[in-house]
């Protein structure tokens, strides 16, 4: 159903009409068609020609209509009506609100902005379809008029059965008002049925009841209602609750949409990174290959040999970084396939640590491992390659960020379902104010470690890999004292693919 852009404003003063018209046109985010009338007679003529108005804005008393006759008229046609009053007191407020108008404002400098804001709201209201489920004709007609006058779209059902059918066939209903007592099924039974069709994030339900039974509000909310109101219902309160519920659902929808868009953008970024890294590897391998060949050339002087060494070293570092980017983007795009196998954890740890014995010796770092015994030969089912990759990263960091003469201890512990591998170092530790960034890609947390090579991707990859193995990576660290990284993974890897959500 399309919404009308036409707004009729009525006032005895042409100057006021003009200012209000300009303000509405300037403030509204859509192009309204504003028609003005300086008298009751002129306004009635416009109403006779068409009933299709987004809103009528008028003074309560007009020359020739001193008792609010024009307002009564517009409301009979269910045209949303905003009333401007020259004076405002409690009895005027009561009188105006009891008429079912959208709202009223005193005629002062603020009213232009207020009116424009309300018109935006009316335009918005029209997007919302509200279903009233009640077998009382009096309540249905009261609620229908109230909502139509606020420009909502309204549907009515008199029984639970027809409500369920309507919700099945009309999937764009945005809110439901449900009476507790219904002829075929009471509200507390109907609401759980509705929840099977639509969850609370997409369909707020406001339950209403004329019976103030004990705990009725709690019971209805427990059954799945989002809110509860006791009859007789105060117009303003009902409208405010409807507005709040709809606002909340709209915010949830908008943030869900933003989350999905960010996920799509993230996937696109990961794919791009993956392609670029692939393309970069080919020329880089050529540089590495040819520099390797040149190394064997006996005619190089020492400067040339030094330069070649630099080329070789830098190319290796670059290749390592490219491989890490490729790895992370492949994990993010769900391209990493796990290959589970039986793993002897102790064996894997010894094998991995032995790769670092030379570098640890050079840096005078003592490596300590659990003694191999039958008790430590834990056999688990996981992806051995990926577990090894995680350990390589953690051990490498434990050496890189250690102090000369430091220690690196690796230990394991198990419970019924999980195994935990701890990599503990006596190194620099992690600055507490930067701990939050530890697993963020490209974060390097130490300022004075320019000489330590790294890309800031290793731990992001580790965390993703541990999660792929259905496990958890934790850290405990004290700056200046050292860090312990703990990898806890299940002994039996669940074959279901598990893709963590990750954003660079
Ligand atoms: P990289 O080592 O390539 O910089 P990582 O993702 O492995 O990347 O680590 C990110 C940052 O976390 C490092 O730059 C370092 O500042 C800090 N860090 C990682 N491991 C340790 C550790 N064992 N001790 C102290 N700091 C560490």
């Amino acid at each position: 159903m399309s919404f009308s852009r036409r707004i009729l404003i009525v006032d005895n003063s042409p100057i006021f009409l003009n200012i209000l018209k300009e303000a509405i046109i300037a403030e509204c985010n859509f192009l309204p068609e504003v028609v003005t009338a300086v008298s009751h007679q002129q306004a009635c003529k416009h109403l006779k020609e068409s009933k299709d108005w987004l809103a009528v804005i008028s003074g309560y008393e007009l020359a020739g209509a001193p008792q609010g006759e024009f307002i009564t008229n517009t409301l009979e046609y269910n045209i949303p009506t905003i009333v401007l009053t020259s004076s405002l007191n409690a009895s005027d407020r009561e009188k105006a609100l009891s008429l079912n108008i959208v709202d009223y404002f005193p005629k002062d400098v603020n009213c232009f902005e207020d009116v424009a804001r309300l018109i935006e709201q009316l335009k918005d209201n029209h997007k919302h379809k509200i279903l009233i489920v009640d077998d009382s004709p009096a309540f249905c007609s009261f609620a229908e008029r109230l909502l139509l006058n606020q420009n909502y779209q309204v549907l009515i059902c008199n029984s639970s059965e027809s409500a369920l059918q309507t919700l099945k066939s009309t999937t764009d209903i945005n809110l439901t008002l449900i009476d507790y007592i219904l002829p075929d099924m009471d509200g507390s039974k109907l609401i759980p049925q509705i929840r099977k069709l639509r969850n609370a994030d997409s369909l707020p339900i406001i339950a209403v009841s004329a019976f103030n039974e004990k705990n009725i509000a709690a019971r209805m909310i427990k059954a799945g209602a989002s809110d509860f109101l006791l009859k007789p219902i105060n117009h303003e309160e009902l409208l405010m609750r409807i507005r709040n519920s709809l606002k909340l659902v709209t915010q949830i929808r908008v943030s869900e949409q933003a989350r999905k868009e960010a996920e799509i953008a993230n996937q696109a970024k990961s794919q791009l990174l993956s392609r670029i890294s692939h393309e970069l590897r080919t020329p880089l391998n050529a540089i590495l290959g040819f520099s390797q060949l040149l190394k064997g050339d006996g005619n190089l002087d020492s400067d040339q040999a030094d330069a070649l060494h630099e080329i070789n070293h830098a190319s290796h570092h670059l290749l390592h970084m490219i491989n890490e980017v490729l790895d992370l983007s492949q994990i993010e795009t769900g391209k990493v396939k796990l290959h589970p196998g039986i793993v002897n954890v102790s064996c894997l740890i010894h094998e991995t640590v032995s790769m670092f014995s030379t570098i640890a010796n050079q840096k005078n770092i003592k490596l300590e491992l659990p003694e191999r015994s039958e008790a430590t030969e834990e056999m688990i089912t996981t992806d051995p390659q990926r577990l090894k990759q995680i350990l390589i990263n953690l051990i490498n960091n434990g050496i890189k960020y250690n102090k000369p003469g430091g220690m690196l201890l690796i230990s394991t512990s198990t419970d019924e379902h999980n195994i935990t591998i701890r990599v503990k170092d006596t190194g620099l530790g992690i600055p507490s104010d930067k701990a939050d960034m530890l697993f963020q890609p490209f974060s390097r947390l130490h300022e004075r470690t320019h000489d330590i090579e790294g890309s800031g991707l290793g731990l992001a990859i580790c965390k993703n890999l541990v999660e792929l193995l259905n496990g958890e990576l934790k850290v405990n660290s004290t700056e200046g004292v050292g860090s312990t990284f703990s990898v806890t993974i299940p002994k039996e890897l669940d074959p279901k693919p598990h893709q963590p959500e990750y954003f660079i």
Side-chain angles (χ1 to χ4, degrees):
M1 214 196 283
S2 69
F3 85 97
S4 172
R5 290 171 185 277
R6 302 178 74 222
I7 297 163
L8 174 61
I9 48 179
V10 192
D11 195 86
N12 300 327
S13 153
I15 299 173
F16 178 80
L17 279 180
N18 238 345
I19 302 174
L20 184 57
K21 178 178 174 176
E22 293 304 321
I24 291 172
I25 294 172
E27 298 275 336
C28 286
N29 286 331
F30 62 102
L31 250 189
E33 185 192 324
V34 184
V35 179
T36 56
V38 280
S39 67
H40 175 227
Q41 213 183 3
Q42 233 182 54
C44 285
K45 206 167 143 251
H46 287 303
L47 271 201
K48 261 198 200 114
E49 281 162 13
S50 166
K51 310 278 179 291
D52 185 26
W53 301 92
L54 170 60
V56 167
I57 304 155
S58 169
Y60 182 70
E61 294 156 11
L62 296 172
Q67 303 295 321
E69 292 86 342
F70 181 61
I71 306 299
T72 319
N73 235 304
T74 57
L75 292 173
E76 265 166 21
Y77 297 135
N78 290 328
I79 302 171
T81 306
I82 299 168
V83 172
L84 297 177
T85 65
S86 38
S87 70
L88 186 67
N89 54 47
S91 81
D92 283 351
R93 182 177 193 277
E94 279 303 305
K95 201 160 69 179
L97 287 175
S98 68
L99 284 173
N100 234 351
I101 59 167
V102 176
D103 214 340
Y104 64 92
F105 297 107
K107 261 191 197 176
D108 59 21
V109 284
N110 297 324
C111 80
F112 305 108
E113 210 176 288
D114 290 338
V115 167
R117 187 177 36 78
L118 207 56
I119 286 176
E120 279 285 334
Q121 172 82 49
L122 286 172
K123 189 200 87 180
D124 247 41
N125 287 357
H126 191 265
K127 289 189 222 145
H128 298 299
K129 251 183 214 167
I130 298 180
L131 173 66
I132 303 167
V133 188
D134 199 318
D135 61 335
S136 146
F139 180 78
C140 287
S141 92
F142 151 77
E144 183 183 27
R145 285 199 60 195
L146 186 70
L147 298 177
L148 285 176
N149 282 334
Q150 298 282 331
N151 217 17
Y152 290 111
Q153 298 180 55
V154 181
L155 290 92
I156 295 178
C157 288
N158 305 115
S159 69
S160 298
E161 199 43 53
S162 64
L164 285 169
Q165 287 309 327
T166 306
L167 282 163
K168 275 181 198 156
S169 58
T170 317
T171 51
D172 59 348
I173 291 172
N174 305 92
L175 184 141
T176 315
L177 269 181
I178 295 181
D179 189 28
Y180 173 45
I181 305 288
L182 289 165
D184 45 350
M185 184 193 295
D186 82 41
S188 61
K189 300 222 168 58
L190 170 63
I191 294 170
Q193 299 279 335
I194 294 178
R195 284 287 170 246
K196 287 185 192 154
L197 302 173
R198 304 270 304 272
N199 67 21
D201 286 350
S202 79
L203 181 75
I205 296 175
I206 301 180
V208 292
S209 172
F211 299 99
N212 193 3
E213 283 175 24
K214 201 172 168 222
N215 296 334
I216 181 150
R219 269 195 287 134
M220 296 300 266
I221 290 172
K222 263 191 183 161
S226 325
D227 204 350
F228 177 81
L229 277 172
L230 212 53
K231 288 179 182 174
I233 290 173
N234 172 296
H235 299 198
E236 250 185 322
E237 188 176 352
L238 176 61
L239 289 175
M240 288 306 131
R241 302 241 192 158
I242 288 177
R243 199 176 290 176
N244 280 351
S245 291
L246 289 172
K247 212 186 206 173
L248 194 65
V249 171
T250 308
Q251 279 165 356
I252 292 173
R253 204 186 47 235
V254 168
S255 57
E256 180 56 17
Q257 182 64 21
R259 193 189 66 78
K260 279 189 187 149
E261 280 167 16
E263 210 168 282
I264 292 168
N266 190 48
Q267 287 275 324
K269 174 228 61 191
S270 297
Q271 272 164 12
L272 179 74
L273 277 180
S274 170
R275 262 190 223 153
I276 292 176
S277 347
H278 242 296
E279 295 304 317
L280 285 176
R281 280 207 304 189
T282 316
L284 195 55
N285 276 322
I287 295 173
L288 269 167
F290 284 115
S291 66
Q292 205 66 39
L293 267 182
L294 277 175
K295 252 187 172 177
D297 185 342
N299 298 325
L300 295 179
D301 64 30
S302 80
D303 281 352
Q304 286 169 328
D306 282 352
L308 199 59
H309 175 77
E310 282 305 317
I311 291 174
N312 207 264
H313 180 79
S315 309
H316 269 294
H317 180 48
L318 195 54
L319 186 62
H320 179 73
M321 289 213 303
I322 289 171
N323 283 339
E324 284 196 322
V325 170
L326 189 62
D327 234 353
L328 188 60
S329 49
Q330 285 189 334
I331 295 171
E332 286 179 354
T333 44
K335 284 194 188 138
V336 170
K337 295 248 174 327
L338 293 178
H339 301 285
I342 309 278
V343 181
N344 177 326
V345 178
S346 173
C347 191
L348 187 90
I349 292 175
H350 278 81
E351 193 183 299
T352 315
V353 169
S354 68
M355 294 165 57
F356 291 93
S357 51
T358 316
I359 180 97
N361 266 339
Q362 282 167 3
K363 293 194 158 195
N364 192 21
I365 288 160
K366 193 167 169 232
L367 298 176
E368 211 166 90
L369 288 174
E371 277 296 312
R372 287 193 70 175
S373 69
E374 248 180 55
T376 62
E377 304 292 296
E378 187 76 49
M379 304 296 276
I380 65 167
T381 305
T382 192
D383 184 322
Q385 281 307 100
R386 295 302 175 180
L387 182 57
K388 191 168 179 178
Q389 189 179 352
I390 294 163
L391 292 181
I392 289 177
N393 257 308
L394 297 180
I395 296 170
N396 190 25
N397 280 353
I399 295 173
K400 270 201 305 187
Y401 300 104
N402 219 316
K403 297 174 195 153
M407 294 253 288
L408 188 78
L409 287 91
I410 293 139
S411 60
T412 55
S413 63
T414 58
D415 63 24
E416 196 186 343
H417 301 292
N418 301 306
I419 182 159
T420 300
I421 306 171
R422 287 182 199 84
V423 180
K424 178 178 177 179
D425 66 60
T426 54
L428 305 177
I430 289 147
S432 52
D433 57 328
K434 295 186 181 156
D436 287 352
M437 293 149 63
L438 188 65
F439 298 111
Q440 296 292 321
F442 302 110
S443 34
R444 307 212 66 205
L445 309 186
H446 295 95
E447 274 149 25
R448 270 177 250 103
T449 50
H450 301 299
D451 49 329
I452 302 178
E453 267 177 9
S455 59
L457 285 172
L459 285 180
I461 294 173
C462 269
K463 189 166 175 8
N464 277 276
L465 286 177
V466 174
E467 283 169 6
L468 267 181
L469 298 181
N470 287 341
E472 203 182 356
L473 175 62
K474 283 192 192 158
V475 62
N476 197 334
S477 181
T478 310
E479 193 172 5
V481 178
S483 317
T484 304
F485 285 83
S486 320
V487 179
T488 302
I489 50 167
K491 289 180 185 172
E492 288 294 323
L493 177 62
D494 178 359
K496 265 194 302 232
H498 170 84
Q499 184 58 40
E501 279 174 21
Y502 210 88
F503 293 90
I504 283 189

